Amino acid sequence: MTKQTDQLGRVIIRFSGDSGDGMQLTGDLFTSQTASFGNDLATLPNFPAEIRAPAGTLPGVSSFQLHFADHDILTPGDAPNVLVAMNPAALRANLGDVPRGGELIVNTDEFTKRAMQKVGYETSPLEDGSLDGYHVHPVPLNTLTVEALKDFELARKDTDRCKNMFALGLLSWMYHRPTEGTEKILRAKFAKKPDIAAANLAAFRAGWNFGETTEDFAVSYEVAPATGTFPPGTYRNISGNLALAYGLIAAGRQADLPLFLGSYPITPASDILHELSRHKNFGVRTFQAEDEIAAVGAALGAAFGGSLAVTTTSGPGVTLKAETVGLAVSLELPLVVIDIQRGGPSTGLPTKTEQADLLQAMYGRNGEAPVPVVAPRTSADCFDAALDAARIALTYRTPVFLLSDGYLANGSEPWRIPQPHELPDLRVQFAQRTNHTLADGTEVFWPYKRDPQTLARPWAVPGTPGLEHRIGGIEKQDGSGNISYDPANHDFMVRTRQAKIDGIAVPDVPVDDPDGARTLVLGWGSTYGPITAAVRRLRAAGESIAQAHLRHLNPFPRNLGDVLRSYGRVVIPEMNLGQLATLVRAKYLVDAVSHTQINGMPFKAEQLAQALTEALHAH
């Protein structure tokens, strides 16, 4: 039969099944195909916290959503056009997000009476008419996969595990995705198990052939590469955590310093440790400590020894690291603290996203212990944010918080690989042998004699003759660094440390306001994509609205106060209960409108657009 091919501008696909069904691998492979084809894309992995969640249950559902297009896109999409449901739980958990008329590819082999009852289906949704508003494609994935692999001497369990590759092959045919890259990745992934590699490849090809030959799929689709969307260059698909790791490596090279990571595994930050451990050839040293406190202590020790020091964690780990970060403030040593935020409090929602650590990063230490705070806005932007955090830490001799989150960490998008000449020069000048002369002519090293422009103290590598100095958490005397309990000195040192942070050079916040709007929407971190998508929708509908987005949260950009006061209404969407809004109201006395969501998922553009529309027309 002759099959029809339709042209589409964009598609949103969601793969969903048990956490053991390989949905994340399937989504990753489809994403790699799509990136190599040249589409713009954004992804949203969503999975349980348990390593192997209860099979066939709603809490055990794992999904991977991919939005790809022939033009610039900003989010993984609000609602999937296509849902691949590997079992009844996957269908039940995700059907509410699929608009009427959407396509459902359903693994009918798993729709047994017991499996359906487990998730509350009293009758089969495939037969009771409840799916009449959708385009349903019933596919017996288990049966077809077993048939495709009948010549392989594999246990039934191993054969069933290949059904996700059959589904991937079918979707690859359906959307004209290139296959060479997927086959190469599968061969590499299972290089030590050639029989498993061969079986997965066979299942993948069988899925493609099924789409090509079956009458159940009469239409396939093409989404052209995104042309004119990106600046010229070499691009690759990258996740936020991978971009952070590469940014840290680049910072170490640009600073001409060894890079040291002291870390303790924690979701969703562990990928940075895993990736950096692969790059010893770039002067990277990774240390997996026994706990969070030891990890940050080792990193601070590396900073004292002259390394670009980093520690990675999530919210619970930030709490444990607080005392040592305060010590770094007192010692005035460069340290990058990366917090991949997740749902809280306590253990909370380890695999879900949140922006609720901003006030903890700002104030979560005893005493007046100010630290700079930066936040990337997209997965690819994590690379530049890592370089920026390193710049501030090295230039101003201070710990720096970098606030990413689970949405950016696990999501991915195209990233233009920068040329070496585009990277900043981060080289530092270590302390000289002497920098102070006493009245009797004796030359001594004063560890707290500051640079007049940055207020940074000298960075003295231990073991250098003539640079011996005292360190510790007890208050230092200005200049000499000796222990001091003098009230006036303490007042001076506290104010000086604050002035150093306040004086950090950060660029002005740009404002996107083509129409002279009266309402400004202000965001930070990963809300950039949903906010920008919502603003585009409003402008397309004829509304006038301005947008600004913050990377630097401490100190704020110099022009932020003037920007905020120039608008009649300021709306701040956040994935918390209004933490940036609290800071803005306190510092600038601006009655900002807080729009919050804290359900473990990123904002949907349509929901944000509705909220902003209400704000625009509020009296």
Side-chain angles (χ1 to χ4, degrees), residues 262-404:
S263 184
Y264 179 76
I266 184 171
T267 301
S270 300
D271 288 341
I272 304 172
L273 169 62
H274 300 159
E275 182 62 32
L276 287 179
S277 68
R278 300 186 178 106
H279 297 287
K280 295 179 181 179
N281 55 314
F282 286 115
V284 179
R285 295 294 178 267
T286 54
F287 172 60
Q288 180 176 319
E290 66 269 25
D291 56 43
E292 296 281 5
I293 299 172
V296 68
L300 184 57
F304 178 59
S307 294
L308 173 56
V310 183
T311 188
T312 53
T313 189
S314 191
V318 174
T319 304
L320 294 168
K321 296 178 189 291
E323 182 180 5
T324 304
V325 174
L327 176 60
V329 172
S330 176
L331 297 179
E332 301 188 49
L333 287 171
L335 174 67
V336 178
V337 182
I338 296 179
D339 175 9
I340 313 297
Q341 300 166 97
R342 70 188 206 186
S346 187
T347 307
L349 303 174
T351 61
K352 310 302 180 184
T353 195
E354 209 163 276
Q355 284 185 303
D357 294 353
L358 175 56
L359 294 183
Q360 182 183 29
M362 286 285 294
Y363 303 119
R365 293 161 298 282
N366 65 295
E368 295 287 346
V371 297
V373 180
V374 301
R377 65 184 188 177
T378 67
S379 296
D381 187 49
C382 287
F383 178 86
D384 294 319
L387 284 164
D388 200 12
R391 172 191 69 85
I392 294 172
L394 294 172
T395 302
Y396 296 91
R397 314 285 197 265
T398 178
V400 178
F401 267 92
L402 188 155
L403 297 181
S404 179

Side-chain angles (χ1 to χ4, degrees), residues 38 462 524 616:
W524 70 278
L616 283 170

Side-chain angles (χ1 to χ4, degrees), residues 170-190:
L170 173 58
L171 269 293
S172 299
W173 169 84
M174 193 172 175
Y175 289 95
H176 293 235
R177 300 293 91 187
T179 60
E180 295 82 3
T182 296
E183 295 195 0
K184 182 178 179 181
I185 292 172
L186 288 174
R187 290 190 188 96
K189 181 176 179 62
F190 299 108

Side-chain angles (χ1 to χ4, degrees), residues 39 55 93 115 140 156 226 267 279 414 456 477 482 505 542 574 605:
N39 296 118
R156 177 57 187 262
T267 301
H279 297 287
Q477 185 182 57
N482 294 329
E574 299 181 76

Side-chain angles (χ1 to χ4, degrees), residues 7 87 90 103 151 210 215 256 288 291 337 341 390 401 425 450 454 467 488 514:
Q7 300 292 325
N87 60 16
E103 296 200 62
D151 295 332
F210 177 78
E215 296 182 2
D256 196 21
Q288 180 176 319
D291 56 43
V337 182
Q341 300 166 97
F401 267 92
D425 184 354
R450 301 179 183 277
T454 65
L467 300 186

Side-chain angles (χ1 to χ4, degrees), residues 26 54 75 140 242:
T26 306
T75 74
L242 185 58

Side-chain angles (χ1 to χ4, degrees), residues 80-102:
N81 310 114
V82 182
L83 171 65
V84 180
M86 303 296 282
N87 60 16
L91 180 65
R92 182 117 196 176
N94 294 282
L95 184 61
D97 291 336
V98 183
R100 291 284 175 169

